[in-house]
Each structure stands twice: as C-alpha cells, then as structure tokens.
Amino acid sequence: MAKSTEDEQEWMDDLEASLLMNDANSASDVFRICKGKPINENLRYPAWQKCLDINRGIFNAPLSEIFDLPEQKLLRHDCQQFVANLGNEDEDKVSVMSDLETILTTYRKISNITYESGNGWLELLLPLLALKRPQNEIYALFAAIRTQYIPNGCAHKNGDPFHLFRLLLLYHDPELCSFLDTKKLTPEFYCRSWFQTLFAANCNLSVVQAMWDVYFQQAEPFYLFFLSLVMVINAKEQIMGIDSISKDMLIEMLSNMPSQLEVDDVPDFCDLAHYYALKTPSSFRKDLRERMFGDEAIHNLLHETLKNSSSSSTLTSPMDEKILVLPQGISQALCLPVCAAELVESVSSSASGAPMPNQSDGLIVETVRFFLVDCRPAEQYNSGHLPTAFHLDSNLMLQEPAAFATAVQGLLSARRQAQAAGSAAAGDHLCFLGSGRNEEDQYTHMVVASFLQKHTVHVSMLTGGYEAVHEYLDETLGENLEHHHSGSCLVCKSRNTNQIESPTAQTPTVDIFSKLSAAVSKLKTSEVKGKLLDYIVNPTGSTGKPPVERHVRANDKLGRRYRNVAPVFSIDDDQEFDSANMPANEEEGTDEEGKRETVSISQWSKENSVTATFPCQEYKVNNMFYDSILALSETYMYVLRVVPGRKGFAQVVARRSLSSVVKITSRRKHPNMITFKYGVSQDDDLVISDMDRLLIPNSTEAMKTVTKQIVNYLKTQEG
C-alpha cells in the first residue's frame, strides 16, 4: 500500500514538473506520465489545458458583454433555473449566473449554433466552473470540449451518434441490441444526455472530473461510445430481466445508470471501455471523424438540407464558400462497416502469420483479426479472392436453402478447427464481403442478417465489397489475391470496357449467352429435389408436332391473335439461348427508367383489381437481380420493381396481357427460376416478342395461380 502511494506521488510530481517546465504540451505527453489515471485536483486545470490544446486561437475569444440573442430570454431563464437547483449561497448564485450567461452567450454568437433548452450546455459547464478559473479560461475549455468531444447530431431525433452506438452494441452484444429493438428503445431515448454532456448530467461532480481526466488523456473522441457501451452491456441482466416495467420507466432506468458510478469505479470502467475499443474494427473512426466531430453549425446546415431536399447531393454553405459533399449516412447500415484498408491489412498479417499487436500500458494486446467470408458467386470468387477468404455463395440462401445451410455449417466448422489449431487466419471477428454492386449484394445482406438474427457476435461487412479491395490493392493485385484472372474478373473487365469505350457510348455490348451461363453457374451442382407442376398445358394443334419457337422479326404482323387459334404456352424445361434470339428490350441498358411509373403498391393494387401477388427477383441479362413483385389481375400480369429506400413503392416495369403469354418455362434443376415468354402463334410457329425472367421463391403456388388465371381468362374470351 505504501509502495503504491509512493508511486502515485512520484508520477504526480513528474506531471507537475513537466507542466511547469512546458515539457508536457499535449495529451500524449500527459498520458505518458499519468498512464490514464485520474489527476490531482490542483493539477487538473493545467493538465486539461494541455490535453485540449486550448492555447489555439480558435478557442480564445473576447467575452460578450451584450446580451441580445433572439433566444436570450430562454437562455437566461434556463441559467436561473439551473443555478437555483445547485443550492449555492445567494452570493455564489449571482457569480455562477453571470459566468453561465456570459460564456454561453459568447459561445452562441461565435459558433452560430442556436441555443435550445436541454441541449446539455449548462451541465457541461458545471465541472468547468468547479475549477475556479477566470471566465475566459472556462470559455476556452468549454469551446474546446464542445468542438472536439461532443458528437454532432445529438440534437436530432435520428442523429448519426445514435445509429453508430446501436451498431457498436449490435457488434458486441446482438442479443441485448435485439431486445432493446423489440422494446423500441433506440439509443436516442437513453443516451442523449450522456453524449451531450460527457456524462456530466448523469454522474456526480467527482466522478465526472475523474472520468474526464482519463478521457482527455486518450485524445480519442469516439472513446465516449465505448464508455457508453460498457455502461449498457454491464447492465444486461438487469435490463433483460425486467418484463413488466413500462417503456418510460425503462428509459428512466437506462438514462440514470451512470449515476451509480463511484470515483473508485472510474479506472475499471475506463479500462473496460479501452478493451472494447481494441476489440472493435477501427474503420468507422476514420470514416466518421470529420462528419461527427468538428464544426457543428455546418453539420446542422447539412442535416437540414438533407431533410428538406432528397434530390440534392451537394450544397453551398453560406458559412463556407466551399462546395460540401454530403457524406453518406450510417442509418441504413445493416452492421458495423469495415473499410478495405483495415481488412486487407488484417488478412495480409493473417496470411503471413505475423502478429498484429497493439501496445497498451506496456502490454501487447492483439487487435481485431477477421475471419473473412466471401459471399460472391462461385465464378467471381474463382476469378480472384483474398487468401484467407472462406467462400459462401449468398445466392444459395434462396435458390438452394439446404445447400446453404450445409455451407454455413462448413464455415462454422472450419472456423472452430482453425481456432483450435491456432491458425493465424482463424479470426474471432466475422467480416462479410460482397461484390460491391448493390443489386447483387442484397443476397449478401440477407446472409449477414441471418447471422445477426442468431445473435452472432462480432459481425461486420466490408464497405464497397470486392470492388473496394480491388481498387485498394491496385498495382499489387497479383501479390495479394489468389487465383486472380483479369480475363474473368468482373472488376478488371469493367475497367477494360471503360477504357475502350468512346466517351459517348452509354451501353456496352453484352454477351447474352455468357452472362446467362454465369448466372446459372452461380448455383451449386447439387440438384434441388422438388417436383415441377403436376400438369402441363400444351395444346399443339392437330398435327401433334411441337411448335417451332422463333422471335419476332421486322416483317411480322403482330396484332391480335388469329381467331380460333388456341394459346400456346407450356411449363417445361427451359433451354439455353443466345443473343441472336433475345428480344431487344431484354437488355437492361435499354430500359427507360426515367419514364417508368412509380406507384404506391397498395393503392395501385386496388386500382388495378389485383387478385394475387408473389414476391420475386427480376433477373436481367446484365447479371443483376432486382427485388420485385409479380402481380395478377383477371386480364393482366404485371412486374413491379421495388424502389430501394421507399417502403411500399415500386415501379411498373412490365404490363402483360394474359392472352400474350405463349410459354412458361423453368429449369428442372432450378424450378424457382421462371421464364415467361410473350408473343403470338403463327401456323406452327411461336413468334416471341418479349420475355420476363423471375426468381420466385414460392414458384409452385405462383405457377398454379398464373396458369389458372390464364385458362379462366381464355375461357371468357372464347365464350
């Protein structure tokens, strides 16, 4: 005990000497001496001053002596209420009131941030006033903390800080995150005051000061999120053990959790936060730092612009003549994002067997090591992948569920075996990689969601997918990728195509046959053991010969069907086709997306007397799948393409008369991939004018309904 006291006194003496001699000029200098420990009261101000670097001109300003803000009356009233609740002597109340209103009025004018009740400014000032320093010094500390450590967006209902915190909670404790989600308790309900005041509104003064001592030494603004994470995870049993409590009471309980901290708890509390920080991918810090910390006034302007205008992606700020590009938000992120640089560094280290240490307090702490899951189709994986990647074809999830389940078991088994063997590639952190193309990666998102639903910890997804890895590696592809083949690598082929295309060329030539083959080859070789429809409607005329199928020609007269000629459609085994036989409008590049009708699905269904709908995926020859809906009325069949990001809305991409359906086909091995062909019968020929290819999970029921609807419609026509 005596030794510990001597050691503590020794580093305090070292800190005092370093501060006096100006040897400690930064947070890292203070940390080198204090090792992240709370600081003695008489050294707190000079230590914070160095950690926050308040000598910079931006934090020093003449204090306002004119109180003429538009919201001055509100600010003064809140200051009076705050001071009254402190319980100080009357003489002290006058002094504190003067300090509060002067400092906050000055900050409001200089920052151009409108004051609002409950924004945390008053609570944040209290630990600073306790330092007993002049107003100008307190103002400098306040401005520095607000700029460097309070995340932007806390005042907004769906601010980025709350989305980020939920992603961190989902990463480390998906079960608890799911529980709070089911209770509709998003972080904004319980941790807003934590973020706005660095816990000053929730903890007693001595705890706040000790916590800030450690916090400012870390010089890491995102440290706040890990402190909050520890707060919630440590109370998991208490949170999940309460069933009958109301939502408001649960919010109050969560919000007040920091009040239970004692000064002696602070070191362990901060050590746990540091541990979670080390065990979390760091990409988000670099990606979000500029957006989440810094000039809050500009951030608020960007937020308002985004809220008021969904069409504009840039704006000119009146406070800054630069054109500011609006960064993409994280509100739609399925899980914690990881950038290509962090993943490649981890994989390269794993492949070489080199350690990835992180020096902390003289100890070697292993940082995040990924177990990489490549969810691209087999032919893309075989054209180039990172060396430690485990292949899991995400398309199997819908197309062959049994094969997908087997592959997942294989993945988990391989991971356990690698961990048992001490393999460098056996990371505890799952990172899923898609292609980088949104339409394809929706399958990858489904795979990730399935792992999250099972409460799998440490799940992340690579931002930009394989394309981002390819771009990051650039000149070193051959050294860092296995089996990379530029001739079949889609990213390489895309680059080559862009290089040889003329500036005015908009639609590249598409090899239809090879693209369909690629789409089919995505499926595993194990056959789907399901029965096709137990009936075939295939009237072929009196000759008994099967009709000859050909596609529409320029000299064909395609009007109404010949009178008394039966429709010719069948449900049989789909055959391969080539680009010469493909209708012209099958190419996605020829779709006129701007002219498509966007509709409310429910309202549109009522107006068009829709009798049945089936969720599906529309397949186009550009090798893309689109979330869609197959809709039927008594006379028409429609394909609606779901509008991303607009729930309940879709574009009408196809409207087909039931009388125009001449053939319905499916592949025996993959009965859920259905092709509808449209046209007319001419003698023994089928003249095909158009077609739709749909991946329908419930294809058996869908085809029964479609067939019955067509037959009923034709009967009414004949009658």
Side-chain angles (χ1 to χ4, degrees):
M1 187 70 173
K3 178 65 175 175
S4 176
T5 304
E6 291 176 5
D7 291 342
E8 183 175 350
Q9 186 61 48
E10 182 178 350
W11 69 257
M12 285 185 182
D13 292 341
D14 289 344
L15 176 62
E16 183 176 13
S18 297
L19 291 171
L20 288 173
M21 300 297 294
N22 285 324
D23 291 336
N25 292 308
S26 65
S28 60
D29 293 335
V30 176
F31 180 82
R32 175 177 50 81
I33 299 171
C34 301
K35 305 297 183 184
K37 298 182 181 69
I39 298 171
N40 188 284
E41 184 175 352
N42 63 341
L43 297 177
R44 181 164 285 135
Y45 171 72
W48 286 8
Q49 186 182 37
K50 297 298 182 181
C51 290
L52 296 169
D53 194 15
I54 66 170
N55 291 326
R56 285 188 289 166
I58 59 172
F59 301 135
N60 292 278
L63 299 178
S64 176
E65 297 180 355
I66 300 176
F67 304 104
D68 57 353
L69 296 174
E71 67 273 27
Q72 193 73 50
K73 185 177 180 180
L74 173 65
L75 191 154
R76 180 171 295 149
H77 175 268
D78 287 351
C79 289
Q80 291 171 342
Q81 290 291 110
F82 186 77
V83 171
N85 292 333
L86 292 178
N88 292 12
E89 298 293 332
D90 290 343
E91 184 177 344
D92 291 337
K93 287 182 179 180
V94 174
S95 175
V96 173
M97 176 66 195
S98 174
D99 290 343
L100 287 174
E101 187 169 14
T102 300
I103 292 170
L104 295 185
T105 299
T106 302
Y107 180 75
R108 160 65 177 90
K109 290 184 176 181
I110 293 176
S111 68
N112 200 30
I113 302 171
T114 302
Y115 173 81
E116 297 177 353
S117 293
N119 64 1
W121 291 8
L122 288 164
E123 292 83 356
L124 191 67
L125 259 178
L126 183 60
L128 303 179
L129 293 176
L131 296 174
K132 307 294 185 182
R133 306 297 301 182
Q135 285 184 350
N136 64 316
E137 293 181 1
I138 297 299
Y139 169 81
L141 287 174
F142 177 80
I145 294 172
R146 285 277 312 156
T147 302
Q148 298 177 36
Y149 289 102
I150 305 299
N152 295 326
C154 290
H156 306 141
K157 181 178 180 181
N158 292 308
D160 284 346
F162 308 123
H163 291 300
L164 175 59
F165 181 75
R166 182 190 171 278
L167 291 178
L168 291 171
L169 181 60
L170 179 66
Y171 191 80
H172 289 284
D173 198 328
E175 182 183 20
L176 178 56
C177 183
S178 176
F179 176 83
L180 293 173
D181 286 346
T182 59
K183 298 289 186 181
K184 297 183 179 180
L185 284 175
T186 53
E188 67 197 62
F189 284 110
Y190 57 87
C191 64
R192 186 188 302 274
S193 63
W194 305 356
F195 292 172
Q196 288 181 328
T197 70
L198 301 186
F199 295 103
N202 313 95
C203 299
N204 66 53
L205 179 61
S206 58
V207 171
V208 172
Q209 290 176 328
M211 195 184 304
W212 286 10
D213 287 341
V214 180
Y215 196 173
F216 298 153
Q217 290 177 54
Q218 297 289 337
E220 171 53 71
F222 287 102
Y223 193 59
L224 169 65
F225 291 90
F226 296 105
L227 290 170
S228 303
L229 188 67
V230 171
M231 189 70 64
V232 176
I233 291 179
N234 278 5
K236 178 178 179 178
E237 291 186 7
Q238 182 183 0
I239 295 170
M240 297 186 66
I242 300 176
D243 294 326
S244 58
I245 191 173
S246 68
K247 181 178 179 180
D248 289 341
M249 292 182 65
L250 187 55
I251 291 173
E252 183 178 0
M253 185 196 80
L254 289 169
S255 301
N256 292 330
M257 285 190 302
S259 64
Q260 301 174 22
L261 282 175
E262 302 290 342
V263 174
D264 292 340
D265 299 327
V266 171
D268 290 340
F269 177 55
C270 293
D271 285 345
L272 277 173
H274 187 59
Y275 171 81
Y276 276 104
L278 290 175
K279 290 297 183 180
T280 306
S282 61
S283 302
F284 74 90
R285 304 189 199 188
K286 180 180 178 181
D287 295 340
L288 296 176
R289 189 179 299 272
E290 290 186 6
R291 173 176 182 158
M292 199 164 286
F293 297 95
D295 195 326
E296 184 180 355
I298 292 181
H299 174 274
N300 290 340
L301 178 63
L302 294 175
H303 176 82
E304 288 302 315
T305 302
L306 272 175
K307 186 171 68 173
N308 297 330
S309 174
S310 59
S311 60
S312 173
S313 62
T314 62
L315 70 103
T316 303
S317 168
M319 299 179 301
D320 191 341
E321 295 180 356
K322 297 183 296 182
I323 299 295
L324 298 174
V325 179
L326 295 178
Q328 185 177 1
I330 59 171
S331 60
Q332 301 302 316
L334 180 62
C335 60
L336 196 67
V338 172
C339 72
E342 182 175 11
L343 177 66
V344 171
E345 181 180 350
S346 173
V347 169
S348 298
S349 176
S350 297
S352 64
M356 293 179 59
N358 187 302
Q359 190 72 30
S360 177
D361 294 340
L363 300 176
I364 300 296
V365 181
E366 187 181 274
T367 56
V368 173
R369 195 182 294 276
F370 295 106
F371 186 89
L372 177 60
V373 184
D374 193 325
C375 295
R376 294 175 297 149
E379 71 276 5
Q380 294 184 31
Y381 176 84
N382 292 332
S383 297
H385 58 267
L386 288 166
T388 61
F390 183 99
H391 183 233
L392 178 65
D393 191 339
S394 60
N395 292 331
L396 293 176
M397 190 171 185
L398 285 181
Q399 297 168 353
E400 295 189 46
F404 175 78
T406 301
V408 170
Q409 291 303 315
L411 181 154
L412 298 176
S413 176
R415 184 186 181 195
R416 287 193 296 268
Q417 292 176 13
Q419 290 172 340
S423 170
D428 292 327
H429 300 255
L430 288 171
C431 183
F432 291 85
L433 178 150
S435 67
R437 291 179 291 278
N438 291 334
E439 290 81 2
E440 289 183 15
D441 284 348
Q442 58 187 317
Y443 285 103
T444 304
H445 292 148
M446 293 174 64
V447 171
V448 174
S450 71
F451 277 80
L452 293 175
Q453 288 169 356
K454 297 173 183 176
H455 299 158
T456 305
V457 298
H458 300 158
V459 171
S460 62
M461 188 170 179
L462 179 67
T463 303
Y466 178 74
E467 287 188 356
V469 171
H470 200 286
E471 181 179 353
Y472 177 77
L473 293 175
D474 197 21
E475 301 295 331
T476 62
L477 289 170
E479 302 172 17
N480 291 282
L481 293 181
E482 286 192 356
H483 308 302
H484 181 254
H485 189 270
S486 59
S488 55
C489 173
L490 293 185
V491 181
C492 291
K493 289 170 69 176
S494 175
R495 286 183 177 180
N496 294 337
T497 301
N498 292 335
Q499 290 173 1
I500 63 175
E501 281 182 346
S502 64
T504 58
Q506 298 297 322
T507 306
T509 302
V510 180
D511 182 345
I512 305 276
F513 182 81
S514 64
K515 282 193 173 290
L516 182 66
S517 297
V520 174
S521 66
K522 291 179 183 178
L523 304 174
K524 296 294 184 182
T525 56
S526 58
E527 295 187 1
V528 179
K529 296 181 179 179
K531 294 182 179 180
L532 298 177
L533 296 177
D534 56 357
Y535 55 89
I536 297 177
V537 181
N538 187 17
T540 59
S542 59
T543 63
K545 297 179 181 179
V548 177
E549 182 179 320
R550 66 182 178 87
H551 291 272
V552 64
R553 294 193 295 262
N555 58 354
D556 285 328
K557 296 181 180 179
L558 296 177
R560 299 182 62 184
R561 289 182 181 274
Y562 287 108
R563 190 170 183 82
N564 298 324
V565 175
V568 181
F569 69 97
S570 64
I571 303 174
D572 56 18
D573 193 47
D574 193 10
Q575 302 299 317
E576 299 290 355
F577 59 97
D578 57 34
S579 56
N581 288 330
M582 176 59 67
N585 64 346
E586 173 68 9
E587 298 250 7
E588 179 63 19
T590 64
D591 285 344
E592 300 180 13
E593 295 192 19
K595 298 181 180 179
R596 293 175 183 158
E597 180 186 7
T598 300
V599 298
S600 167
I601 297 174
S602 58
Q603 183 64 30
W604 178 90
S605 298
K606 293 179 182 178
E607 293 174 354
N608 290 272
S609 302
V610 170
T611 58
T613 59
F614 298 92
C616 62
Q617 300 276 324
E618 182 192 13
Y619 171 74
K620 306 299 289 186
V621 295
N622 60 0
N623 212 21
M624 296 298 182
F625 285 88
Y626 299 89
D627 283 337
S628 302
I629 297 172
L630 173 65
L632 292 171
S633 70
E634 292 183 355
T635 55
Y636 288 98
M637 184 169 70
Y638 303 88
V639 178
L640 308 180
R641 185 178 297 178
V642 175
V643 178
R646 295 187 64 188
K647 186 176 181 180
F649 284 85
Q651 290 182 332
V652 182
V653 297
R655 176 177 179 269
R656 316 290 190 186
S657 171
L658 293 180
S659 64
S660 69
V661 181
V662 295
K663 199 165 189 177
I664 306 174
T665 59
S666 67
R667 298 192 63 79
R668 293 190 186 281
K669 292 184 178 180
H670 313 294
N672 288 339
M673 180 67 80
I674 309 297
T675 300
F676 297 90
K677 297 183 180 182
Y678 313 97
V680 296
S681 299
Q682 290 187 353
D683 300 325
D684 289 337
D685 289 354
L686 294 182
V687 181
I688 306 299
S689 60
D690 209 346
M691 68 171 61
D692 293 314
R693 284 180 174 259
L694 305 176
L695 178 62
I696 310 176
N698 191 13
S699 61
T700 300
E701 184 63 29
M703 289 306 94
K704 286 182 179 179
T705 305
V706 170
T707 302
K708 182 178 180 180
Q709 196 80 348
I710 292 175
V711 171
N712 290 341
Y713 174 71
L714 294 176
K715 285 180 179 180
T716 61
Q717 293 297 100
E718 292 174 359

